[in-house]
Amino acid sequence: MSDLGVIKYRSGGATVKFMQHFYNMTFLERYTTPMGENLLTFLWSLSVSMYPLGGFFGSLLVAPLVNKLGRKGTLLFNNIFSIIPALMMGVSELAKSYEIIILARFIVGICAGLSSNVVPMYLGELSPKNLRGAIGIIPQLFITIGILSAQVLGIRNILGNSTGWTLMLGITGIPALVELFLLPFFPESPRYTLIQRGDEKTARKALQSLRGREDVSEELEEMRLEEQSERVEGRLSVLSLLSQRSLRWQLVSVIVMNMGQQLSGVNAIYYYADSIYATAGVVENDIQYVTVGTGAVNVFMTIAAVFVVEASGRRLLLLSGFGICCGACALLTAALIFQESVTWMPYVSITCVILYITGHAIGPSPIPYVVTTEMFRQSARPAAFMMAGSVHWLSNFTVGLLFPFMERGLGSLSFILFSFICLATFVYIWLAVPETKSKTFLEICQMFAERNGVEIELGDGDEPLKKSKENLQEMEKVTSF
């Protein structure tokens, strides 16, 4: 999953400077006059905003594509939106066209919008319930590894220079090529194959391959019960998802968590980080290495989340993460206000940045994707991810668009707004989001049915779902791979 947008925020300022210089020189060669500062700012803002805008449109494609092509088929198709823009950006300097970069940013945004939703959905449906949280965090782990790789490659002595920046943009297509060659050897989601395609033989074979054992009858039985409970509803669109009383609390929870994830100020922290390091006395050339260090913290804490999510649960990690981010933003506001009058205060600011990254990595970054997979049944999951992804990318776009103006008008007080958003999200999760670890999709569905004031019936109109899944209570087996 390539995440080029974060590269621009988080790989250090060197690459940005060389790209802006390319924009200026290209304009000068075309029109024999230097590019005005306002035009350069506009074109650069357009380049940055095209990525989340593409992500939004990619999210709108999630439901139709995963229902038509399947989860695996959608991911294979999506590689087009990574390989082509990587080639475009790689040749942009030779073509002397910054328009190619802007267009490529939009296309690779589509790739990110699709992959950021379909990968968690695919892995969540492949996973046994006792490992679903840990496996669901793996996509976010690889995103953090990608960010760290971009930060390392963005060092001036590697690719963050006048000759290497186009290569840095071009190599983002390599992960897509790897996926294109390897993913065909993996099975389609068994839940999609059985519930939506009605192909039990292929679903059984896929489960046997994934679990490493012949007897997968219990999981197949749970899927059949889910299929029966959904038979009346059929496949849900976004409009029908919004009108379903039985999905009301799930939908609100997913929207709140995705808004909280992006509006909590994570991109603003990275945007502001370089100036914080400089104020603390870090030499300009060494700031890039400090940035790599924060990227390593991000990776380390995401790895920690993988190992603790099944023991601690999703809810605790979300509450801890948003709580840490809330405190870090509030303390950072105070530190920035007093940094000129108190000599040691800039070091407090650096500590706040590291604390914030730690908090975001253990909860707000990875867990919303896991919970979105778990809160919805098969018929509603594509539309739910489409809705969650749209909120995610629109919030990302909003922060990217508004934060420079907030920073100019409010200065350090900008972060107190992010602190309040983290606090509001924390309170909502505390009051409304239940624990979902080690539960089947049916059990989670029944838990929310009680909150929504409805009763889930099987498709044939027989007994309530609660009674029909009594034979599934012994499914807590450790799964071998």
Side-chain angles (χ1 to χ4, degrees):
M1 211 194 308
S2 64
D3 201 341
L4 191 61
V6 256
I7 288 176
K8 300 300 178 295
Y9 274 112
R10 309 179 191 181
S11 63
T15 306
V16 172
K17 291 177 182 176
F18 288 115
M19 290 180 69
Q20 290 180 341
H21 177 72
F22 165 68
Y23 281 30
N24 209 347
M25 294 305 297
T26 301
F27 188 89
L28 180 63
E29 289 181 17
R30 288 181 187 175
Y31 306 108
T32 66
T33 181
M35 182 182 291
E37 185 176 342
N38 289 336
L39 180 58
L40 178 60
T41 301
F42 170 75
L43 288 175
W44 184 251
S45 298
L46 190 64
S47 302
V48 172
S49 61
M50 281 296 103
Y51 179 78
L53 191 62
F56 171 72
F57 280 99
S59 297
L60 296 180
L61 297 174
V62 169
L65 285 179
V66 296
N67 286 327
K68 180 71 174 177
L69 303 178
R71 283 60 167 151
K72 174 182 165 182
T74 300
L75 291 174
L76 287 171
F77 173 73
N78 190 39
N79 288 309
I80 296 172
F81 299 115
S82 181
I83 296 170
I84 291 177
L87 292 172
M88 291 170 65
M89 289 185 288
V91 302
S92 58
E93 190 175 28
L94 289 175
K96 299 185 183 301
S97 173
Y98 46 75
E99 293 89 351
I100 288 179
I101 294 178
I102 295 172
L103 178 60
R105 291 272 296 160
F106 178 78
I107 298 172
V108 81
I110 294 175
C111 170
L114 277 167
S115 59
S116 64
N117 290 289
V118 181
V119 171
M121 187 191 309
Y122 177 58
L123 293 179
E125 293 179 3
L126 290 180
S127 308
K129 66 177 183 178
N130 59 305
L131 295 174
R132 198 166 55 224
I135 294 174
I137 294 177
I138 295 298
Q140 182 63 29
L141 173 60
F142 276 94
I143 288 176
T144 62
I145 292 172
I147 293 169
L148 179 60
S149 301
Q151 290 167 338
V152 172
L153 293 174
I155 292 174
R156 291 178 182 87
N157 293 334
I158 304 179
L159 293 180
N161 50 59
S162 60
T163 58
W165 67 269
T166 50
L167 178 59
M168 181 177 174
L169 298 182
I171 62 176
T172 56
I174 293 177
L177 286 172
V178 173
E179 181 182 84
L180 195 60
F181 285 110
L182 294 182
L183 188 59
F185 296 100
F186 291 82
E188 178 58 273
S189 161
R191 306 189 80 86
Y192 170 81
T193 305
L194 176 60
I195 297 175
Q196 292 185 238
R197 293 298 185 194
D199 187 350
E200 183 172 331
K201 182 180 178 181
T202 304
R204 181 184 293 274
K205 184 177 178 181
L207 274 176
Q208 289 171 338
S209 173
L210 290 165
R211 303 296 182 254
R213 63 170 187 263
E214 290 296 314
D215 184 11
V216 291
S217 56
E218 288 180 331
E219 283 193 75
L220 285 172
E221 177 63 20
E222 187 262 330
M223 291 181 196
R224 291 190 200 100
L225 285 175
E226 183 175 347
E227 179 188 19
Q228 289 175 349
S229 71
E230 294 187 325
R231 201 170 288 160
V232 175
E233 294 178 1
R235 191 179 300 163
L236 295 180
S237 65
V238 172
L239 290 177
S240 56
L241 179 71
L242 292 171
S243 63
Q244 285 279 336
R245 183 182 173 186
S246 62
L247 299 173
R248 185 176 301 164
W249 276 108
Q250 296 98 304
L251 187 60
V252 172
S253 298
V254 164
I255 290 173
V256 170
M257 284 187 290
N258 277 276
M259 288 182 68
Q261 180 195 62
Q262 289 302 307
L263 300 180
S264 61
V266 59
N267 284 333
I269 287 284
Y270 279 100
Y271 179 91
Y272 219 91
D274 284 4
S275 65
I276 291 174
Y277 302 147
T279 305
V282 179
V283 179
E284 183 181 355
N285 191 58
D286 293 340
I287 289 176
Q288 57 187 338
Y289 302 111
V290 179
T291 302
V292 170
T294 59
V297 170
N298 200 7
V299 172
F300 177 79
M301 294 311 301
T302 307
I303 292 173
V306 171
F307 286 100
V308 304
V309 65
E310 297 301 347
S312 64
R314 290 75 160 128
R315 191 169 182 269
L316 180 60
L317 289 183
L318 283 169
L319 291 171
S320 301
F322 278 109
I324 292 171
C325 290
C326 175
C329 283
L331 187 57
L332 179 60
T333 302
L336 292 174
I337 290 173
F338 294 108
Q339 67 180 0
E340 293 184 3
S341 56
V342 182
T343 56
W344 47 266
M345 199 58 77
Y347 301 103
V348 176
S349 299
I350 293 179
T351 303
C352 290
V353 170
I354 295 172
L355 277 175
Y356 182 94
I357 292 169
T358 298
H360 214 273
I362 64 172
S365 284
I367 303 301
Y369 300 111
V370 177
V371 175
T372 302
T373 301
E374 295 178 326
M375 283 184 175
F376 295 90
R377 290 180 293 166
Q378 196 73 19
S379 62
R381 195 171 294 125
F385 266 99
M386 183 173 165
M387 176 67 71
S390 299
V391 171
H392 170 101
W393 288 104
L394 279 177
S395 300
N396 186 310
F397 177 79
T398 301
V399 172
L401 187 67
L402 297 182
F403 180 72
F405 299 99
M406 288 172 56
E407 192 270 335
R408 189 182 305 169
L410 297 175
S412 56
L413 292 176
S414 304
F415 290 99
I416 202 68
L417 296 177
F418 296 128
S419 181
F420 280 120
I421 291 172
C422 291
L423 179 61
T425 310
F426 176 95
V427 171
Y428 178 85
I429 293 169
W430 177 272
L431 296 175
V433 178
E435 182 54 67
T436 57
K437 73 168 184 174
S438 298
K439 291 181 171 62
T440 66
F441 292 121
L442 285 173
E443 290 168 338
I444 296 168
C445 175
Q446 182 65 29
M447 186 166 54
F448 273 103
E450 295 170 1
R451 290 189 173 213
N452 290 318
V454 298
E455 189 174 75
I456 304 299
E457 301 281 341
L458 290 178
D460 55 13
D462 291 339
E463 57 196 24
L465 184 62
K466 193 182 294 183
K467 294 181 181 179
S468 303
K469 56 187 179 64
E470 288 176 353
N471 62 327
L472 298 173
Q473 299 303 311
E474 302 300 323
M475 288 179 63
E476 294 282 354
K477 296 181 178 179
V478 177
T479 305
S480 60
F481 287 86

